Amino acid sequence: MTEHCYWRFSRALHRAINDQSFAEIEGLLHENVEWSLYGPVDMFPFLGSRHGKHAVLEVIRHVAGNIQVRRFDRETTILGLDSAASILRFSLLTRASKKPIALRLAQFVQFEAARLINMRALIDTFDLVEQALGRSIHLPNIGSCVAETR
């Protein structure tokens, strides 16, 4: 049995981010790759949607220039023939300030001819924003707001 495309992609992405070595990940990206990281683009410019290998490589280079992966755990992974879905937990370190960041995300990927053609990642951005700001964000209790409007 051959190795699933997801495992090669996952290792290559990890090496690209930590070692800033991009040749391997470049070879695993389809020319027309669709890449979306959902979250607050104004605060984190590497989030958002990109189309095409060149644009995706620029995002990966941007991420690699700013963070280092200290540890990651796959909480759950489901593999399809040419697809995969994972819930991941990361411990990151900012390169500039050495500030630790914990991150959780859900990732959905599709492959065509063993190359990544589509990736969608949903990031727990509320927690990420609190860590970036260095403080808790206090929101009103939604239940009490609804009760007050009646």
Side-chain angles (χ1 to χ4, degrees):
M1 179 177 238
T2 61
E3 182 180 48
H4 196 280
C5 302
Y6 180 65
W7 303 130
R8 284 191 303 274
F9 167 73
S10 180
R11 283 193 309 273
L13 183 59
H14 186 267
R15 278 194 286 271
I17 292 171
N18 272 10
D19 302 337
Q20 298 187 2
S21 173
F22 306 102
E24 186 178 4
I25 193 70
E26 183 175 1
L28 295 176
L29 297 174
H30 192 282
E31 288 298 324
N32 296 314
V33 64
E34 294 286 338
W35 176 284
S36 293
L37 297 169
Y38 298 104
V41 177
D42 292 339
M43 190 165 200
F44 305 102
F46 58 86
L47 299 178
S49 295
R50 306 293 192 285
H51 175 79
K53 183 188 273 193
H54 177 73
V56 169
L57 283 170
E58 286 305 309
V59 169
I60 294 169
R61 283 185 180 97
H62 182 85
V63 170
N66 288 285
I67 62 132
Q68 179 181 14
V69 177
R70 302 294 290 168
R71 178 187 169 130
F72 78 97
D73 297 306
R74 289 184 188 91
E75 293 181 8
T76 303
T77 299
I78 300 171
L79 300 175
L81 185 60
D82 290 322
S83 62
S86 277
I87 300 202
L88 306 164
R89 185 178 303 272
F90 287 90
S91 293
L92 308 171
L93 195 62
T94 60
R95 290 194 189 270
S97 67
K98 304 299 184 208
K99 180 180 177 182
I101 296 173
L103 176 70
R104 194 162 182 232
L105 66 87
Q107 180 185 52
F108 306 91
V109 293
Q110 295 175 311
F111 298 90
E112 183 178 291
R115 292 177 184 230
L116 182 73
I117 187 76
N118 190 312
M119 197 231 13
R120 303 283 183 259
L122 304 168
I123 300 171
D124 178 1
T125 55
F126 189 82
D127 186 44
L128 181 60
V129 169
E130 284 187 327
Q131 291 176 73
L133 293 174
R135 62 179 171 81
S136 296
I137 300 171
H138 299 287
L139 298 175
N141 184 330
I142 292 174
S144 64
C145 292
V146 172
E148 290 173 8
T149 61
R150 291 184 186 178

